[in-house]
Amino acid sequence: MTTKPKSTTLAVLSRLVLALALAVFLPNCSKAEDEKLTVLVTGANRGLGLEHAKQWAAAGHKVIGTARKPEEAKELKATGATVLKLDITSDADIANLAKTLKGQKIDILLNNAGYMNRELNRESLQRCFDINTAGPLLLAEALKPNLKLSKQPKIVNVSSGLGSISRTNGIYTAYSISKAALNMATRQLHAQYGKEGFIVIALNPGHNKTDMGGDGAPLEPKDSVKQVLKLITGLKKEQSGRFWYIDGTEVPW
Ligand SMILES: NC(=O)c1ccc[n+]([C@@H]2O[C@H](COP(=O)([O-])OP(=O)(O)OC[C@H]3O[C@@H](n4cnc5c(N)ncnc54)[C@H](OP(=O)(O)O)[C@@H]3O)[C@@H](O)[C@H]2O)c1
């Protein structure tokens, strides 16, 4: 009777272990690839938008970050995001962005770019409306074909507690009006796109330490955005068309 040399037995054993490891890990790898989302964040060069780009990328998702001046968006580029030009007040920029992204799936549109001013005059009212209301709505329309390629398209309109009509305390009039109008745009999009499976929400990101929120704000962008990632990834259809705070509590209109 002949016995197999030890080295042959070892080789067979190691092949078996390798096959077993591949059987266990390969399906998980393809699952991870399946779960990779494409997130488009506007105004991603600084503030909350930049923090979103960092955290979605760190969580393994693909980020498309827009900026008015992409050539200056160094921190955004460093996150590994694809950086594209967008001034949300420019129809030409919106059309060019849609053209560049034609045929590409977008899972989450994060309408984050925003603008605040303290003055109350025709110009300040129009500028707030243009950036905070018209821009996000028209961008959602332009990117709808991309969102329709997603298994679960989501539109997150970054609003503000100041956009809550029932809670208003009479400050930042132009800004507050434009965010209340964005909330209506959210309801409109929900009513129109909800039938096609979209989830559309308005989000109050809380008062954060950014150029807009100021140094005295109570929240750090990294903490606020961390909660928002959890909220967005876990959104259910019945949450669509509503106004949410970062911790998942509902904000009154
Ligand atoms: N921070 C807060 O406490 C707070 C509270 C409630 C709601 N929010 C909302 O959260 C969002 C992000 O705020 P933030 O604090 O990060 O503000 P931020 O630091 O002032 O950053 C604003 C971002 O919006 C971009 N932006 C402004 N005008 C634009 C335009 N015409 N086209 C495209 N992008 C434009 C800016 O780009 P540039 O660098 O080119 O100017 C920048 O990337 C905003 O919608 C804001 O209203 C913030």
PDB file of all heavy atoms in Angstrom, residues 43 45-48 68 86-89 112-114 131 158-160 175 179 205-208 210-213, ligand 1:
ATOM      1  N   GLY A  43     -23.176  72.018  -4.078  1.00  0.00           N
ATOM      2  CA  GLY A  43     -22.490  72.880  -3.103  1.00  0.00           C
ATOM      3  C   GLY A  43     -21.578  72.054  -2.224  1.00  0.00           C
ATOM      4  O   GLY A  43     -21.555  72.208  -1.004  1.00  0.00           O
ATOM      5  N   ASN A  45     -18.268  71.878  -2.170  1.00  0.00           N
ATOM      6  CA  ASN A  45     -16.884  72.358  -1.998  1.00  0.00           C
ATOM      7  C   ASN A  45     -16.579  72.852  -0.588  1.00  0.00           C
ATOM      8  O   ASN A  45     -15.427  73.018  -0.220  1.00  0.00           O
ATOM      9  CB  ASN A  45     -16.571  73.472  -3.006  1.00  0.00           C
ATOM     10  CG  ASN A  45     -17.560  74.622  -2.926  1.00  0.00           C
ATOM     11  OD1 ASN A  45     -18.760  74.402  -3.088  1.00  0.00           O
ATOM     12  ND2 ASN A  45     -17.093  75.822  -2.659  1.00  0.00           N
ATOM     13  N   ARG A  46     -17.638  73.108   0.226  1.00  0.00           N
ATOM     14  CA  ARG A  46     -17.382  73.552   1.605  1.00  0.00           C
ATOM     15  C   ARG A  46     -18.607  73.240   2.465  1.00  0.00           C
ATOM     16  O   ARG A  46     -19.646  72.812   1.948  1.00  0.00           O
ATOM     17  CB  ARG A  46     -17.013  75.050   1.669  1.00  0.00           C
ATOM     18  CG  ARG A  46     -18.100  75.995   1.176  1.00  0.00           C
ATOM     19  CD  ARG A  46     -17.580  77.445   1.142  1.00  0.00           C
ATOM     20  NE  ARG A  46     -18.486  78.330   0.433  1.00  0.00           N
ATOM     21  CZ  ARG A  46     -19.327  79.167   1.025  1.00  0.00           C
ATOM     22  NH1 ARG A  46     -19.393  79.230   2.340  1.00  0.00           N
ATOM     23  NH2 ARG A  46     -20.099  79.947   0.300  1.00  0.00           N
ATOM     24  N   GLY A  47     -18.457  73.503   3.773  1.00  0.00           N
ATOM     25  CA  GLY A  47     -19.598  73.369   4.680  1.00  0.00           C
ATOM     26  C   GLY A  47     -20.180  71.958   4.730  1.00  0.00           C
ATOM     27  O   GLY A  47     -19.459  70.956   4.634  1.00  0.00           O
ATOM     28  N   LEU A  48     -21.481  71.897   4.885  1.00  0.00           N
ATOM     29  CA  LEU A  48     -22.156  70.599   5.029  1.00  0.00           C
ATOM     30  C   LEU A  48     -21.991  69.734   3.778  1.00  0.00           C
ATOM     31  O   LEU A  48     -21.883  68.514   3.859  1.00  0.00           O
ATOM     32  CB  LEU A  48     -23.649  70.808   5.323  1.00  0.00           C
ATOM     33  CG  LEU A  48     -23.976  71.462   6.672  1.00  0.00           C
ATOM     34  CD1 LEU A  48     -25.469  71.749   6.796  1.00  0.00           C
ATOM     35  CD2 LEU A  48     -23.541  70.554   7.825  1.00  0.00           C
ATOM     36  N   ARG A  68     -19.346  75.661  -7.828  1.00  0.00           N
ATOM     37  CA  ARG A  68     -19.383  76.742  -8.818  1.00  0.00           C
ATOM     38  C   ARG A  68     -18.026  76.893  -9.489  1.00  0.00           C
ATOM     39  O   ARG A  68     -17.937  77.231 -10.655  1.00  0.00           O
ATOM     40  CB  ARG A  68     -19.786  78.062  -8.147  1.00  0.00           C
ATOM     41  CG  ARG A  68     -21.247  78.082  -7.794  1.00  0.00           C
ATOM     42  CD  ARG A  68     -21.718  79.467  -7.492  1.00  0.00           C
ATOM     43  NE  ARG A  68     -21.234  79.942  -6.194  1.00  0.00           N
ATOM     44  CZ  ARG A  68     -21.636  81.062  -5.631  1.00  0.00           C
ATOM     45  NH1 ARG A  68     -22.491  81.831  -6.268  1.00  0.00           N
ATOM     46  NH2 ARG A  68     -21.193  81.416  -4.451  1.00  0.00           N
ATOM     47  N   LEU A  86     -21.363  73.448 -11.305  1.00  0.00           N
ATOM     48  CA  LEU A  86     -22.784  73.803 -11.255  1.00  0.00           C
ATOM     49  C   LEU A  86     -23.005  75.067 -10.440  1.00  0.00           C
ATOM     50  O   LEU A  86     -22.764  75.098  -9.235  1.00  0.00           O
ATOM     51  CB  LEU A  86     -23.614  72.662 -10.641  1.00  0.00           C
ATOM     52  CG  LEU A  86     -25.106  72.964 -10.480  1.00  0.00           C
ATOM     53  CD1 LEU A  86     -25.812  73.053 -11.833  1.00  0.00           C
ATOM     54  CD2 LEU A  86     -25.794  71.912  -9.614  1.00  0.00           C
ATOM     55  N   ASP A  87     -23.473  76.098 -11.142  1.00  0.00           N
ATOM     56  CA  ASP A  87     -24.085  77.230 -10.443  1.00  0.00           C
ATOM     57  C   ASP A  87     -25.575  76.967 -10.579  1.00  0.00           C
ATOM     58  O   ASP A  87     -26.112  76.930 -11.698  1.00  0.00           O
ATOM     59  CB  ASP A  87     -23.688  78.558 -11.106  1.00  0.00           C
ATOM     60  CG  ASP A  87     -24.290  79.747 -10.364  1.00  0.00           C
ATOM     61  OD1 ASP A  87     -25.415  79.618  -9.826  1.00  0.00           O
ATOM     62  OD2 ASP A  87     -23.640  80.796 -10.303  1.00  0.00           O
ATOM     63  N   ILE A  88     -26.218  76.772  -9.451  1.00  0.00           N
ATOM     64  CA  ILE A  88     -27.612  76.329  -9.437  1.00  0.00           C
ATOM     65  C   ILE A  88     -28.576  77.376 -10.033  1.00  0.00           C
ATOM     66  O   ILE A  88     -29.715  77.055 -10.374  1.00  0.00           O
ATOM     67  CB  ILE A  88     -28.011  75.906  -7.995  1.00  0.00           C
ATOM     68  CG1 ILE A  88     -29.229  75.000  -7.962  1.00  0.00           C
ATOM     69  CG2 ILE A  88     -28.229  77.093  -7.091  1.00  0.00           C
ATOM     70  CD1 ILE A  88     -28.926  73.574  -8.137  1.00  0.00           C
ATOM     71  N   THR A  89     -28.104  78.605 -10.196  1.00  0.00           N
ATOM     72  CA  THR A  89     -28.961  79.639 -10.795  1.00  0.00           C
ATOM     73  C   THR A  89     -28.838  79.660 -12.315  1.00  0.00           C
ATOM     74  O   THR A  89     -29.511  80.460 -12.978  1.00  0.00           O
ATOM     75  CB  THR A  89     -28.595  81.052 -10.267  1.00  0.00           C
ATOM     76  OG1 THR A  89     -27.271  81.369 -10.702  1.00  0.00           O
ATOM     77  CG2 THR A  89     -28.680  81.130  -8.758  1.00  0.00           C
ATOM     78  N   ASN A 112     -28.124  70.370  -1.677  1.00  0.00           N
ATOM     79  CA  ASN A 112     -27.550  70.978  -0.467  1.00  0.00           C
ATOM     80  C   ASN A 112     -27.177  72.452  -0.646  1.00  0.00           C
ATOM     81  O   ASN A 112     -27.257  73.222   0.315  1.00  0.00           O
ATOM     82  CB  ASN A 112     -26.310  70.158  -0.061  1.00  0.00           C
ATOM     83  CG  ASN A 112     -25.426  70.897   0.911  1.00  0.00           C
ATOM     84  OD1 ASN A 112     -25.696  70.944   2.116  1.00  0.00           O
ATOM     85  ND2 ASN A 112     -24.366  71.540   0.412  1.00  0.00           N
ATOM     86  N   ALA A 113     -26.773  72.842  -1.856  1.00  0.00           N
ATOM     87  CA  ALA A 113     -26.306  74.226  -2.072  1.00  0.00           C
ATOM     88  C   ALA A 113     -27.359  75.203  -1.564  1.00  0.00           C
ATOM     89  O   ALA A 113     -28.559  75.018  -1.789  1.00  0.00           O
ATOM     90  CB  ALA A 113     -26.037  74.461  -3.554  1.00  0.00           C
ATOM     91  N   GLY A 114     -26.910  76.210  -0.856  1.00  0.00           N
ATOM     92  CA  GLY A 114     -27.874  77.164  -0.304  1.00  0.00           C
ATOM     93  C   GLY A 114     -27.237  78.513  -0.055  1.00  0.00           C
ATOM     94  O   GLY A 114     -26.000  78.652  -0.057  1.00  0.00           O
ATOM     95  N   ILE A 131     -31.676  80.531  -5.650  1.00  0.00           N
ATOM     96  CA  ILE A 131     -30.722  79.503  -5.208  1.00  0.00           C
ATOM     97  C   ILE A 131     -31.400  78.410  -4.375  1.00  0.00           C
ATOM     98  O   ILE A 131     -31.163  77.219  -4.590  1.00  0.00           O
ATOM     99  CB  ILE A 131     -29.566  80.147  -4.393  1.00  0.00           C
ATOM    100  CG1 ILE A 131     -28.772  81.088  -5.289  1.00  0.00           C
ATOM    101  CG2 ILE A 131     -28.657  79.069  -3.785  1.00  0.00           C
ATOM    102  CD1 ILE A 131     -27.726  81.920  -4.558  1.00  0.00           C
ATOM    103  N   VAL A 158     -32.279  70.028   1.120  1.00  0.00           N
ATOM    104  CA  VAL A 158     -31.807  70.554   2.400  1.00  0.00           C
ATOM    105  C   VAL A 158     -32.503  71.894   2.652  1.00  0.00           C
ATOM    106  O   VAL A 158     -32.239  72.900   2.001  1.00  0.00           O
ATOM    107  CB  VAL A 158     -30.275  70.690   2.433  1.00  0.00           C
ATOM    108  CG1 VAL A 158     -29.840  71.223   3.796  1.00  0.00           C
ATOM    109  CG2 VAL A 158     -29.616  69.344   2.151  1.00  0.00           C
ATOM    110  N   SER A 159     -33.439  71.834   3.592  1.00  0.00           N
ATOM    111  CA  SER A 159     -34.238  72.992   3.961  1.00  0.00           C
ATOM    112  C   SER A 159     -33.629  73.611   5.219  1.00  0.00           C
ATOM    113  O   SER A 159     -32.404  73.614   5.380  1.00  0.00           O
ATOM    114  CB  SER A 159     -35.684  72.522   4.189  1.00  0.00           C
ATOM    115  OG  SER A 159     -36.512  73.584   4.542  1.00  0.00           O
ATOM    116  N   SER A 160     -34.452  74.060   6.111  1.00  0.00           N
ATOM    117  CA  SER A 160     -33.967  74.692   7.358  1.00  0.00           C
ATOM    118  C   SER A 160     -35.122  74.761   8.343  1.00  0.00           C
ATOM    119  O   SER A 160     -36.292  74.853   7.923  1.00  0.00           O
ATOM    120  CB  SER A 160     -33.482  76.106   7.026  1.00  0.00           C
ATOM    121  OG  SER A 160     -33.317  76.841   8.207  1.00  0.00           O
ATOM    122  N   TYR A 175     -34.567  84.399   3.374  1.00  0.00           N
ATOM    123  CA  TYR A 175     -34.096  83.008   3.458  1.00  0.00           C
ATOM    124  C   TYR A 175     -35.237  82.087   3.910  1.00  0.00           C
ATOM    125  O   TYR A 175     -35.484  81.041   3.296  1.00  0.00           O
ATOM    126  CB  TYR A 175     -32.930  82.954   4.440  1.00  0.00           C
ATOM    127  CG  TYR A 175     -32.368  81.579   4.720  1.00  0.00           C
ATOM    128  CD1 TYR A 175     -31.497  80.971   3.821  1.00  0.00           C
ATOM    129  CD2 TYR A 175     -32.673  80.900   5.902  1.00  0.00           C
ATOM    130  CE1 TYR A 175     -30.954  79.716   4.093  1.00  0.00           C
ATOM    131  CE2 TYR A 175     -32.132  79.656   6.188  1.00  0.00           C
ATOM    132  CZ  TYR A 175     -31.272  79.066   5.280  1.00  0.00           C
ATOM    133  OH  TYR A 175     -30.733  77.830   5.549  1.00  0.00           O
ATOM    134  N   LYS A 179     -36.965  78.878   1.913  1.00  0.00           N
ATOM    135  CA  LYS A 179     -36.914  77.486   2.397  1.00  0.00           C
ATOM    136  C   LYS A 179     -38.329  76.932   2.586  1.00  0.00           C
ATOM    137  O   LYS A 179     -38.571  75.748   2.353  1.00  0.00           O
ATOM    138  CB  LYS A 179     -36.110  77.389   3.694  1.00  0.00           C
ATOM    139  CG  LYS A 179     -34.615  77.639   3.519  1.00  0.00           C
ATOM    140  CD  LYS A 179     -33.910  76.540   2.715  1.00  0.00           C
ATOM    141  CE  LYS A 179     -32.390  76.685   2.748  1.00  0.00           C
ATOM    142  NZ  LYS A 179     -31.672  75.654   1.982  1.00  0.00           N
ATOM    143  N   PRO A 205     -31.123  70.341   8.585  1.00  0.00           N
ATOM    144  CA  PRO A 205     -29.827  69.776   9.029  1.00  0.00           C
ATOM    145  C   PRO A 205     -29.391  70.239  10.405  1.00  0.00           C
ATOM    146  O   PRO A 205     -28.340  69.816  10.884  1.00  0.00           O
ATOM    147  CB  PRO A 205     -28.857  70.298   7.953  1.00  0.00           C
ATOM    148  CG  PRO A 205     -29.426  71.602   7.531  1.00  0.00           C
ATOM    149  CD  PRO A 205     -30.928  71.460   7.647  1.00  0.00           C
ATOM    150  N   GLY A 206     -30.173  71.123  11.032  1.00  0.00           N
ATOM    151  CA  GLY A 206     -29.775  71.659  12.334  1.00  0.00           C
ATOM    152  C   GLY A 206     -28.832  72.835  12.156  1.00  0.00           C
ATOM    153  O   GLY A 206     -28.352  73.102  11.054  1.00  0.00           O
ATOM    154  N   HIS A 207     -28.571  73.519  13.283  1.00  0.00           N
ATOM    155  CA  HIS A 207     -27.714  74.709  13.240  1.00  0.00           C
ATOM    156  C   HIS A 207     -26.253  74.287  13.389  1.00  0.00           C
ATOM    157  O   HIS A 207     -25.833  73.839  14.454  1.00  0.00           O
ATOM    158  CB  HIS A 207     -28.152  75.666  14.356  1.00  0.00           C
ATOM    159  CG  HIS A 207     -27.462  76.985  14.294  1.00  0.00           C
ATOM    160  ND1 HIS A 207     -27.494  77.886  15.315  1.00  0.00           N
ATOM    161  CD2 HIS A 207     -26.715  77.574  13.315  1.00  0.00           C
ATOM    162  CE1 HIS A 207     -26.799  78.968  14.978  1.00  0.00           C
ATOM    163  NE2 HIS A 207     -26.312  78.793  13.766  1.00  0.00           N
ATOM    164  N   ASN A 208     -25.500  74.422  12.305  1.00  0.00           N
ATOM    165  CA  ASN A 208     -24.138  73.886  12.241  1.00  0.00           C
ATOM    166  C   ASN A 208     -23.064  74.961  12.122  1.00  0.00           C
ATOM    167  O   ASN A 208     -23.282  76.007  11.497  1.00  0.00           O
ATOM    168  CB  ASN A 208     -24.009  73.006  10.988  1.00  0.00           C
ATOM    169  CG  ASN A 208     -24.641  71.664  11.167  1.00  0.00           C
ATOM    170  OD1 ASN A 208     -23.987  70.722  11.577  1.00  0.00           O
ATOM    171  ND2 ASN A 208     -25.933  71.575  10.872  1.00  0.00           N
ATOM    172  N   THR A 210     -20.692  76.325  10.225  1.00  0.00           N
ATOM    173  CA  THR A 210     -20.192  76.475   8.848  1.00  0.00           C
ATOM    174  C   THR A 210     -20.126  77.970   8.586  1.00  0.00           C
ATOM    175  O   THR A 210     -20.483  78.772   9.450  1.00  0.00           O
ATOM    176  CB  THR A 210     -21.160  75.837   7.832  1.00  0.00           C
ATOM    177  OG1 THR A 210     -22.415  76.540   7.928  1.00  0.00           O
ATOM    178  CG2 THR A 210     -21.391  74.357   8.070  1.00  0.00           C
ATOM    179  N   ASP A 211     -19.732  78.355   7.377  1.00  0.00           N
ATOM    180  CA  ASP A 211     -19.724  79.792   7.047  1.00  0.00           C
ATOM    181  C   ASP A 211     -21.126  80.363   7.246  1.00  0.00           C
ATOM    182  O   ASP A 211     -21.298  81.466   7.754  1.00  0.00           O
ATOM    183  CB  ASP A 211     -19.285  80.007   5.591  1.00  0.00           C
ATOM    184  CG  ASP A 211     -17.819  79.643   5.399  1.00  0.00           C
ATOM    185  OD1 ASP A 211     -17.087  79.610   6.408  1.00  0.00           O
ATOM    186  OD2 ASP A 211     -17.419  79.380   4.246  1.00  0.00           O
ATOM    187  N   MET A 212     -22.142  79.575   6.864  1.00  0.00           N
ATOM    188  CA  MET A 212     -23.514  80.065   6.996  1.00  0.00           C
ATOM    189  C   MET A 212     -23.972  80.048   8.464  1.00  0.00           C
ATOM    190  O   MET A 212     -24.555  81.010   8.948  1.00  0.00           O
ATOM    191  CB  MET A 212     -24.483  79.216   6.156  1.00  0.00           C
ATOM    192  CG  MET A 212     -25.894  79.774   6.177  1.00  0.00           C
ATOM    193  SD  MET A 212     -27.085  78.726   5.326  1.00  0.00           S
ATOM    194  CE  MET A 212     -26.623  78.925   3.628  1.00  0.00           C
ATOM    195  N   GLY A 213     -23.714  78.983   9.147  1.00  0.00           N
ATOM    196  CA  GLY A 213     -24.216  78.819  10.518  1.00  0.00           C
ATOM    197  C   GLY A 213     -23.442  79.606  11.564  1.00  0.00           C
ATOM    198  O   GLY A 213     -23.968  79.890  12.639  1.00  0.00           O
TER     199      GLY A 213
HETATM  200  N1  LIG B   1     -25.253  75.729   8.590  1.00  0.00           N
HETATM  201  C1  LIG B   1     -26.443  75.771   9.144  1.00  0.00           C
HETATM  202  O1  LIG B   1     -26.571  76.035  10.358  1.00  0.00           O
HETATM  203  C2  LIG B   1     -27.678  75.467   8.345  1.00  0.00           C
HETATM  204  C3  LIG B   1     -28.908  75.440   9.016  1.00  0.00           C
HETATM  205  C4  LIG B   1     -30.057  75.134   8.311  1.00  0.00           C
HETATM  206  C5  LIG B   1     -29.961  74.853   6.953  1.00  0.00           C
HETATM  207  N2  LIG B   1     -28.756  74.903   6.310  1.00  0.00           N
HETATM  208  C6  LIG B   1     -28.725  74.585   4.878  1.00  0.00           C
HETATM  209  O2  LIG B   1     -27.753  73.604   4.639  1.00  0.00           O
HETATM  210  C7  LIG B   1     -27.178  73.764   3.336  1.00  0.00           C
HETATM  211  C8  LIG B   1     -25.663  73.858   3.445  1.00  0.00           C
HETATM  212  O3  LIG B   1     -25.368  74.942   4.302  1.00  0.00           O
HETATM  213  P1  LIG B   1     -23.877  75.293   4.794  1.00  0.00           P
HETATM  214  O4  LIG B   1     -24.000  75.708   6.192  1.00  0.00           O
HETATM  215  O5  LIG B   1     -22.933  74.226   4.405  1.00  0.00           O
HETATM  216  O6  LIG B   1     -23.599  76.615   3.924  1.00  0.00           O
HETATM  217  P2  LIG B   1     -22.228  77.260   3.428  1.00  0.00           P
HETATM  218  O7  LIG B   1     -21.121  76.841   4.290  1.00  0.00           O
HETATM  219  O8  LIG B   1     -22.527  78.719   3.277  1.00  0.00           O
HETATM  220  O9  LIG B   1     -22.038  76.596   1.973  1.00  0.00           O
HETATM  221  C9  LIG B   1     -22.960  76.877   0.978  1.00  0.00           C
HETATM  222  C10 LIG B   1     -22.669  76.036  -0.239  1.00  0.00           C
HETATM  223  O10 LIG B   1     -23.660  76.365  -1.239  1.00  0.00           O
HETATM  224  C11 LIG B   1     -22.982  76.759  -2.414  1.00  0.00           C
HETATM  225  N3  LIG B   1     -23.706  77.743  -3.208  1.00  0.00           N
HETATM  226  C12 LIG B   1     -24.101  78.991  -2.866  1.00  0.00           C
HETATM  227  N4  LIG B   1     -24.678  79.599  -3.911  1.00  0.00           N
HETATM  228  C13 LIG B   1     -24.645  78.717  -4.938  1.00  0.00           C
HETATM  229  C14 LIG B   1     -25.085  78.731  -6.275  1.00  0.00           C
HETATM  230  N5  LIG B   1     -25.646  79.817  -6.829  1.00  0.00           N
HETATM  231  N6  LIG B   1     -24.890  77.634  -7.047  1.00  0.00           N
HETATM  232  C15 LIG B   1     -24.300  76.534  -6.535  1.00  0.00           C
HETATM  233  N7  LIG B   1     -23.842  76.452  -5.285  1.00  0.00           N
HETATM  234  C16 LIG B   1     -24.023  77.528  -4.493  1.00  0.00           C
HETATM  235  C17 LIG B   1     -21.656  77.364  -1.923  1.00  0.00           C
HETATM  236  O11 LIG B   1     -20.736  77.429  -3.002  1.00  0.00           O
HETATM  237  P3  LIG B   1     -19.612  78.623  -3.087  1.00  0.00           P
HETATM  238  O12 LIG B   1     -18.476  78.177  -2.220  1.00  0.00           O
HETATM  239  O13 LIG B   1     -19.275  78.700  -4.535  1.00  0.00           O
HETATM  240  O14 LIG B   1     -20.261  79.879  -2.566  1.00  0.00           O
HETATM  241  C18 LIG B   1     -21.296  76.351  -0.848  1.00  0.00           C
HETATM  242  O15 LIG B   1     -20.747  75.204  -1.421  1.00  0.00           O
HETATM  243  C19 LIG B   1     -27.828  75.032   2.763  1.00  0.00           C
HETATM  244  O16 LIG B   1     -28.893  74.685   1.933  1.00  0.00           O
HETATM  245  C20 LIG B   1     -28.325  75.759   3.993  1.00  0.00           C
HETATM  246  O17 LIG B   1     -29.403  76.616   3.704  1.00  0.00           O
HETATM  247  C21 LIG B   1     -27.615  75.205   6.979  1.00  0.00           C
END
